[in-house]
Amino acid sequence: MAATFAISGQHYLFDVQTFAHTVLALGGDKYSYALRDRTTQGVIDDVVSGDSELGVIVQTSRTADELNVALDAAGLTFCELIQSTPRVALPKSHPMVNASSLSLEDMEGYPYIYFEQEPGSPACFAEEALAEVPREKSIACTDRASLSELIVALNGYTITSGILVGISDGSSLDTVPLETDETLHLGYVVRKDEELDEVGIRFVETLKKNLERYARF
């Protein structure tokens, strides 16, 4: 019988790398796995329905309380793995890339690229820290590779965890610390009172190791 395992996640690179590590470690002649890039609502829906065993998301210190209320109402629980600090992701050729730190004011005039959520989604569902701050130039997209390409092509930026873990669509980007007191909470969501299976536990253990290895403060 083929092994099965599925996860959903926001548009971060670290869950992709962790998923690959898990598949390689498990090996096997037969399996049927799934890795789903989703909006925050999409992650919630997949885990609630059981289509995915767990969902990888990032909370911020400003939005965590409100997001946890939404998760609780959906019958989910957030399990934090590590905390990190937001960083500005921008092209390696960007004129600001060698700064020791950057503020949002420093980035005024450059296009802000971010992940679009469903219409009507609460502000706490945003995948980027300080998403509520108005920008003069902003572009929404739904695909991680497209976001990276737009940042490079337009000399733009986004706000991220900075944990790129060597995946190819992050290789043209670099990150600089963002001047903010906001903190990122990186972890996963599961259905309340349900334990992960053996593969899920292996994935979470690998995810935690990857986050601890590549997190930048």
Side-chain angles (χ1 to χ4, degrees), residues 101-214:
S101 65
L102 291 168
S103 67
L104 292 186
E105 290 75 17
D106 292 328
M107 302 310 296
E108 287 182 358
Y110 297 105
Y112 168 62
I113 321 295
Y114 68 98
F115 289 114
E116 186 176 45
Q117 302 295 317
E118 279 92 349
S121 292
C124 66
F125 279 20
E127 298 182 36
E128 302 84 12
L130 301 173
E132 75 283 359
V133 177
R135 269 82 165 185
E136 292 184 354
K137 299 178 181 179
S138 64
I139 299 174
C141 66
T142 58
D143 177 79
R144 182 176 55 247
S146 297
L147 178 135
S148 296
E149 289 296 322
L150 285 171
I151 290 175
V152 173
L154 301 175
N155 221 19
Y157 76 100
T158 193
I159 305 301
T160 182
S161 68
I163 303 174
L164 301 179
V165 299
I167 298 292
S168 59
D169 61 355
S171 61
S172 59
L173 304 179
D174 207 342
T175 64
V176 176
L178 177 65
E179 295 173 7
T180 179
D181 58 359
E182 193 157 3
T183 301
L184 301 179
H185 303 265
L186 289 70
Y188 63 98
V189 294
V190 290
R191 292 179 292 279
K192 290 181 182 178
D193 304 321
E194 289 194 22
E195 295 183 0
L196 295 173
D197 64 16
E198 183 179 350
V199 179
I201 292 171
R202 180 190 289 266
F203 174 85
V204 167
E205 289 175 345
T206 305
L207 178 61
K208 183 174 175 60
K209 290 177 182 177
N210 280 342
L211 291 174
E212 290 174 339
R213 177 181 178 185
Y214 291 103

Side-chain angles (χ1 to χ4, degrees), residues 18-41:
T18 299
F19 188 83
H21 288 163
T22 303
V23 171
L24 289 170
L26 290 170
D29 297 325
K30 296 182 179 180
Y31 52 74
S32 178
Y33 299 140
L35 170 64
R36 303 180 173 102
D37 286 342
R38 300 293 199 216
T39 62
T40 304
Q41 185 63 60

Side-chain angles (χ1 to χ4, degrees), residues 30-105:
K30 296 182 179 180
Y31 52 74
S32 178
Y33 299 140
L35 170 64
R36 303 180 173 102
D37 286 342
R38 300 293 199 216
T39 62
T40 304
Q41 185 63 60
V43 173
I44 292 172
D45 292 344
D46 283 351
V47 179
V48 168
S49 68
D51 288 339
S52 291
E53 183 174 353
L54 58 87
V56 179
I57 69 170
V58 174
Q59 298 183 341
T60 77
S61 52
R62 297 190 186 189
T63 63
D65 289 344
E66 186 179 355
L67 183 51
N68 281 328
V69 169
L71 294 174
D72 183 67
L76 304 181
T77 255
F78 177 71
C79 304
E80 182 176 310
L81 294 176
I82 70 163
Q83 294 185 13
S84 183
T85 53
R87 299 179 70 91
V88 180
L90 65 178
K92 290 184 176 179
S93 59
H94 197 283
M96 308 295 285
V97 75
N98 293 319
S100 58
S101 65
L102 291 168
S103 67
L104 292 186
E105 290 75 17

Side-chain angles (χ1 to χ4, degrees), residues 3-24:
T4 60
F5 177 61
I7 69 161
S8 297
Q10 294 171 321
H11 301 83
Y12 279 91
L13 293 169
F14 47 75
D15 62 331
V16 179
Q17 185 73 358
T18 299
F19 188 83
H21 288 163
T22 303
V23 171
L24 289 170

